[in-house]
């Protein structure tokens, strides 16, 4: 049986405080790092060098060359060689400690499967190892997007809109929002890991960097009209930066009262919510996930809907293509009926149908029923009163209609 070499731990949880911390964070750590078994081969001028090369190759197979290259050994450890040219299976303590120090916990354990001297006079080694790998968040299966300022327009208002839009897109659960504002702090932490600081297995976190699929470029341009009234124009473009194509563009107008600066963040949040809704409706239109003949459940929550909103239920039909280019345009849209939002939470909304409708369960399972807001609503914020049983619609409140000019 090959001897299993378990790499020595840093220290036993570094005291009681460490134990409490690990107990508190255990579920996060377990969910983010896993051990993957792998077999690899390495070559070197000595048996020790061959083993070390095999271990580095094992790391590269799982975590890529970036992590593996950071663990290249500056000096090869020595091990005894028998008269037949094969290294002793009892690896030196020096070698174990060298590998432990260089791999920093990314290699959880390893064992030598075989070693031999090659015809060229070098040595080959085959090892079996368990490599720590950062588990990819399921949220990264979503469209990845980074919200950035275009460097044009009013800097202060644009920064507030950038932050608010990032929050809105995050809470929509439709996008993986990649942070761009804290690059300095993130790079400082990654540099500390590269220098060997941090917890065991933190080196594997160097492989977790993700790049966005698209950039959401925002700015706010302002124009004074009269007195204390300031017209702010919020602009949003979704750009495929690899091809420089503009995939989506939206512009909203907002009125700012400079005599009441305390209301500006609220107004900018409304502007961000309106832009976020436009993006969601274009990319991931809210769909019906369950239905009875009296109400529908929608797979989108309070980031998009408010109590009292009137919505239109639409059945999607066949795909429509541009006759000139053959490009996909949209799908046929057949209006089924109207409803009023009666309940919202962070994830779903429920709407009472104004007239009984029987939706096809098969089409529901295929996400072929979508829901869009009509613009009629009891109120356009999250504190709106619940819709009445009769499904009556109140007009949009003056306080909100004055904020945005759709």
């Amino acid at each position: 049986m090959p001897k299993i070499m378990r790499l020595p731990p840093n220290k036993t949880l570094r005291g009681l405080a460490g134990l409490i911390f690990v107990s508190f964070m255990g579920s996060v750590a377990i969910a983010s790092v896993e051990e993957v078994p792998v077999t690899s081969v390495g070559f070197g001028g000595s048996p020790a060098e061959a083993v070390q090369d095999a271990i580095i190759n094992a790391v590269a197979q799982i975590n890529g060359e970036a992590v593996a290259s950071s663990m290249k050994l500056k000096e090869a450890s020595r091990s005894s060689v028998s008269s037949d040219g094969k290294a002793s299976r009892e690896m030196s303590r020096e070698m174990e400690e060298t590998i432990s120090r260089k791999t920093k916990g990314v290699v959880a354990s390893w064992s030598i499967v075989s070693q031999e001297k090659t015809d060229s006079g070098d040595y080959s080694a085959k090892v079996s190892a368990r490599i720590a790998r950062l588990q990819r968040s399921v949220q990264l299966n979503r469209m990845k997007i980074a919200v950035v300022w275009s460097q044009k327009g009013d800097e202060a208002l644009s920064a507030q809109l950038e932050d608010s839009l990032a929050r809105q897109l995050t809470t929509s659960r439709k996008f993986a929002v990649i942070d761009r504002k804290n690059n300095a702090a993130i790079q400082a932490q990654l540099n500390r890991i590269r220098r060997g600081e941090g917890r065991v297995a933190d080196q594997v976190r160097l492989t977790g960097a993700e790049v966005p699929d698209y950039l959401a470029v925002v700015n706010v341009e302002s124009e004074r009209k009269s007195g204390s009234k300031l017209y702010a124009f919020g602009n949003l473009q979704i750009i495929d930066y690899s091809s420089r194509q503009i995939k989506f563009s939206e512009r909203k107008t907002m009125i700012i009262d400079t005599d009441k600066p305390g209301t500006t963040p609220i107004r900018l949040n409304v502007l961000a919510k309106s832009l976020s809704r436009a993006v969601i409706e274009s990319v991931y239109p809210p769909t019906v996930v369950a239905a009875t003949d009296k109400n529908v459940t929608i797979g989108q929550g309070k980031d998009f809907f408010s109590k009292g909103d009137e919505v239109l239920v639409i059945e999607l039909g066949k795909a429509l293509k541009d006759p000139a280019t053959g490009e996909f345009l949209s799908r046929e849209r057949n209006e089924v009926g109207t409803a009023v939002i009666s309940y919202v939470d962070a994830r779903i909304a429920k709407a009472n149908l104004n007239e009984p409708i029987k939706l096809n369960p098969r089409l529901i399972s295929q996400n072929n029923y979508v829901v869009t807001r009509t613009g009629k609503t009891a109120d356009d914020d999250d504190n709106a009163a619940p819709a009445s049983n009769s499904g009556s619609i109140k007009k949009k409140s003056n306080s909100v209609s004055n904020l945005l000019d759709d």
Side-chain angles (χ1 to χ4, degrees), residues 228-267:
S228 63
K229 300 296 183 183
L230 187 71
Y231 276 67
F233 305 95
N235 302 297
L236 167 65
Q237 290 183 328
I238 305 295
I239 299 175
D240 179 353
Y241 58 90
S242 61
S243 65
R244 298 180 180 271
Q245 285 183 294
I246 299 174
K247 296 291 189 179
F248 175 86
S249 182
E250 188 76 12
R251 180 181 176 92
K252 298 285 186 179
T253 306
M254 178 182 68
I255 301 173
I256 295 177
D257 190 343
T258 55
D259 287 341
K260 300 177 181 178
T263 64
T264 300
I266 299 173
R267 293 167 183 263

Side-chain angles (χ1 to χ4, degrees), residues 141-374:
N141 294 328
R142 305 171 184 171
M143 179 187 292
K144 297 184 288 294
I145 195 167
V147 182
V148 297
W149 173 41
S150 69
Q151 305 298 313
K152 296 179 181 179
D154 187 297
E155 182 174 0
L157 295 179
S158 297
Q160 292 182 63
L161 179 62
E162 179 185 350
D163 289 342
S164 188
L165 181 61
R167 285 195 301 271
Q168 294 288 345
L169 293 177
T170 300
T171 57
S172 75
R173 300 178 299 105
K174 295 294 188 290
F175 303 91
V177 180
I178 308 298
D179 180 82
R180 284 292 187 90
K181 299 199 71 174
N182 299 297
N183 274 345
I186 292 170
Q187 286 302 318
Q189 179 58 37
L190 292 177
N191 288 337
R192 283 194 288 271
I193 294 173
R194 291 187 182 99
R195 292 194 300 267
E197 302 175 20
R199 298 177 298 149
V200 171
D202 270 352
Q203 280 283 333
V204 77
R205 298 186 183 279
L206 297 175
T207 67
E210 294 281 347
V211 296
D213 300 313
Y214 299 96
L215 295 181
V217 181
V218 300
N219 70 27
V220 177
E221 299 171 337
S222 58
E223 178 183 342
R224 188 171 297 279
K225 290 293 186 181
S226 61
S228 63
K229 300 296 183 183
L230 187 71
Y231 276 67
F233 305 95
N235 302 297
L236 167 65
Q237 290 183 328
I238 305 295
I239 299 175
D240 179 353
Y241 58 90
S242 61
S243 65
R244 298 180 180 271
Q245 285 183 294
I246 299 174
K247 296 291 189 179
F248 175 86
S249 182
E250 188 76 12
R251 180 181 176 92
K252 298 285 186 179
T253 306
M254 178 182 68
I255 301 173
I256 295 177
D257 190 343
T258 55
D259 287 341
K260 300 177 181 178
T263 64
T264 300
I266 299 173
R267 293 167 183 263
L268 284 168
N269 190 60
V270 172
L271 177 61
K273 188 169 187 176
S274 179
L275 290 171
S276 174
R277 282 171 171 169
V279 174
I280 292 170
E281 194 151 28
S282 175
V283 181
Y284 296 116
T287 58
V288 174
V289 295
T292 68
D293 58 352
K294 294 182 179 180
N295 57 61
V296 294
T297 301
I298 309 162
Q300 196 72 47
K302 62 182 180 181
D303 62 290
F304 195 91
F305 297 108
S306 300
K307 289 180 180 179
D309 284 351
E310 183 186 58
V311 296
L312 188 63
V313 181
I314 298 170
E315 179 183 330
L316 298 178
K318 68 179 183 180
L320 302 174
K321 294 185 178 181
D322 188 307
T325 65
E327 293 181 31
F328 173 79
L329 296 175
S330 183
R331 294 174 63 182
E332 288 183 341
R333 298 168 68 90
N334 303 308
E335 296 182 7
V336 174
T338 58
V340 179
I341 300 294
S342 59
Y343 169 84
V344 291
D345 63 22
R347 295 177 176 270
I348 65 168
K350 295 192 74 170
N352 296 331
L353 293 163
N354 290 332
E355 295 181 2
I357 302 171
K358 184 68 174 178
L359 300 185
N360 187 323
R362 180 179 60 84
L363 296 181
I364 292 175
S365 66
Q366 296 173 347
N367 297 324
N368 280 340
Y369 290 109
V370 298
V371 177
T372 184
R373 297 167 72 245
T374 65

Side-chain angles (χ1 to χ4, degrees), residues 383-405:
N383 296 318
S388 65
N389 291 334
S390 63
S392 61
I393 304 296
K394 300 179 183 179
K395 291 183 179 180
K396 184 182 291 186
S397 67
N398 288 334
S399 62
V400 174
S401 62
N402 287 336
L403 296 184
L404 281 177
D405 179 8

Side-chain angles (χ1 to χ4, degrees), residues 34 82 122 359:
E34 61 180 345
S82 62
D122 290 335
L359 300 185

